[in-house]
Amino acid sequence: MCDFNTLSSEEKLHYHTLLLDAAQKFGGKNFFLHLLEAVRETKPHPLTAKHREFSMDLGTVKWNKVIFNDKLQLLQKIRVHESENGNLLPDEEAKHYKKVRNLVRTLKPIVFHVKPANKEDGPGFFFQPFEVIDEKTTRLNPLFDALFFCAVPTVKKVLNYEPKDMKA
């Protein structure tokens, strides 16, 4: 999803709808983009927080399991693989297949809860890090990818996307 320009119109519309819905549940596009910027500025990466929470003025992101730095490093490496072939899992013959499979098994049950600080801004939303398509195909959840990895200008482009046939 982070390479938005290479996606088909249907994929662009799907990601636009998904992220726009999430943004509205967090208080709107601007609040959502501020959250993303705060996540990008935080060092070390917020996913490795021992208390399983990222907080800022506009809201919080909480999750139910600690993510260790080695898992985060591997996840960042395999994201590139997924963008190339649409699957996080490498071929079973690949030497790092077992590591990636264990990463997916470890992180898949995690649930992220994104909640705005003010209840009036929206109800917030939940998501998991992966979408398991079938036994051999697993993808990053676009919300997970957008929240923790994609460049903020790319997410802004996704949020502001207008299909060509809708422009008048």
Side-chain angles (χ1 to χ4, degrees):
M1 185 199 75
C2 292
D3 197 1
F4 191 67
N5 293 332
T6 64
L7 300 174
S8 69
S9 295
E10 293 82 25
E11 290 172 314
K12 288 178 179 181
L13 183 60
H14 170 72
Y15 292 137
H16 166 75
T17 306
L18 186 71
L19 291 183
L20 189 60
D21 180 56
Q24 289 168 341
K25 290 178 179 175
F26 189 71
K29 288 181 190 179
N30 287 336
F31 280 27
F32 189 70
L33 290 170
H34 282 299
L35 171 65
L36 300 184
E37 288 169 353
V39 166
R40 299 304 177 280
E41 292 169 2
T42 302
K43 302 289 184 238
H45 198 286
L47 284 175
T48 60
K50 289 181 179 117
H51 55 284
R52 305 176 326 267
E53 181 177 335
F54 174 76
S55 296
M56 60 174 283
D57 295 348
L58 298 173
T60 60
V61 181
K62 294 182 182 183
W63 54 99
N64 56 336
K65 188 175 182 181
V66 174
I67 300 171
F68 294 103
N69 197 44
D70 62 327
K71 300 290 185 199
L72 177 64
Q73 299 296 323
L74 180 58
L75 182 59
Q76 289 174 323
K77 279 185 197 171
I78 64 173
R79 281 183 63 248
V80 175
H81 176 73
E82 183 206 19
S83 65
E84 292 170 356
N85 71 0
N87 188 6
L88 277 174
L89 297 175
D91 293 330
E92 289 185 35
E93 296 80 39
K95 67 179 184 179
H96 64 284
Y97 172 77
K98 192 172 180 182
K99 275 186 178 180
V100 175
R101 189 188 71 212
N102 288 338
L103 169 77
V104 171
R105 284 183 179 165
T106 301
L107 300 186
K108 185 185 178 326
I110 296 175
V111 177
F112 291 86
H113 182 201
V114 181
K115 195 166 104 178
N118 294 325
K119 288 183 168 88
E120 298 83 39
D121 290 333
F125 56 95
F126 296 90
F127 65 91
Q128 289 185 288
F130 304 118
E131 295 176 342
V132 177
I133 310 303
D134 58 42
E135 196 175 295
K136 297 185 182 225
T137 310
T138 299
R139 295 188 183 123
L140 274 180
N141 181 325
L143 287 173
F144 181 70
D145 205 16
L147 191 63
F148 292 108
F149 301 109
C150 291
V152 175
T154 301
V155 176
K156 189 174 183 177
K157 188 186 291 188
V158 174
L159 287 170
N160 292 328
Y161 173 72
E162 290 183 36
K164 290 182 172 93
D165 60 348
M166 290 178 74
K167 290 180 182 175

